[in-house]
Amino acid sequence: MTQQLDIQTKLSEIQGFESAYQYDTTYMKEMLAASPAAYEVFERFLPMASFRQHANPEVYFTAKLTAFRMVDCGPCLQLAVRMAREGGLDAERIRKVLDASKALPPELEMVRTFVRAILAGEADPNPLRSEIEKAYGLETVVEIALVVASAQVFPVVKRAMGHYQSCAMVAIEV
């Protein structure tokens, strides 16, 4: 009975998230129903996807938006956009981050280029990493690393669970 109550609480939390962000959480509900233990593991991962203590919002969301833009052009990117707006980024800055042809201030362009280099598997992103560390500190580099790594998890989980159609290209609203 306690486990059922816990599942209901988790389902309610998922539905609240879905409603707050207009994000399709069908894959999460399915995971919870099929394997509450697996969902619990997934849920413990979620704080990694939004961990930010030191990085300023522009740096952090430039990294997050760039990563999601590269690994998922659909609903997960839209969710990241909504979170960036909630985190204080204005619409114009978000548009510029998402459009690689738009110039960003040099310190943010450095972050965008670093994230792209990491995700593209370029040979040596260390010079950029060193510049970011010098400008913002090792704590910020760590937070960028976590948000970039976590961006890949959501589309992979969704595709593996048969929800790849929800990862399709959508028109992003800023």
Side-chain angles (χ1 to χ4, degrees):
M1 189 70 166
T2 305
Q3 185 179 9
Q4 185 64 28
L5 178 64
D6 194 41
I7 289 173
Q8 284 305 115
T9 300
K10 295 299 177 194
L11 183 58
S12 179
E13 290 171 2
I14 293 168
Q15 290 169 329
F17 180 84
E18 181 173 58
S19 177
Y21 289 101
Q22 299 101 53
Y23 177 76
D24 181 5
T25 60
T26 303
Y27 75 103
M28 296 166 85
K29 293 175 204 171
E30 186 177 288
M31 186 187 305
L32 178 62
S35 177
Y39 179 79
E40 185 177 18
V41 170
F42 177 75
E43 186 180 51
R44 280 190 245 138
F45 153 79
L46 295 176
M48 179 177 150
S50 60
F51 182 78
R52 180 177 73 83
Q53 289 184 338
H54 298 281
N56 74 50
E58 287 207 328
V59 167
Y60 176 81
F61 285 111
T62 295
K64 185 173 189 137
L65 292 167
T66 300
F68 275 98
R69 183 71 173 135
M70 288 187 70
V71 301
D72 182 280
C73 296
C76 293
L77 175 59
Q78 181 64 66
L79 176 60
V81 166
R82 288 185 179 118
M83 290 178 166
R85 290 300 308 266
E86 186 178 83
L89 261 66
D90 65 47
E92 186 56 30
R93 173 69 78 218
I94 292 170
R95 283 187 199 94
K96 285 182 179 179
V97 170
L98 294 176
D99 185 347
S101 70
K102 303 271 188 199
L104 290 172
E107 68 276 6
L108 297 180
E109 188 60 46
M110 175 176 57
V111 171
R112 180 165 62 183
T113 302
F114 178 60
V115 169
R116 293 177 66 78
I118 292 167
L119 290 173
E122 291 184 7
D124 189 10
N126 281 328
L128 284 170
R129 184 201 48 76
S130 293
E131 287 182 48
I132 292 169
E133 183 177 343
K134 206 177 302 172
Y136 299 108
L138 183 56
E139 300 92 345
T140 294
V141 173
V142 170
E143 291 173 18
I144 290 170
L146 293 178
V147 77
V148 170
S150 67
Q152 298 175 84
V153 171
F154 301 101
V156 169
V157 169
K158 288 168 71 174
R159 288 180 188 123
M161 291 182 62
H163 294 272
Y164 59 90
Q165 68 279 3
S166 67
C167 291
M169 184 76 79
V170 296
I172 302 300
E173 298 173 19
V174 179

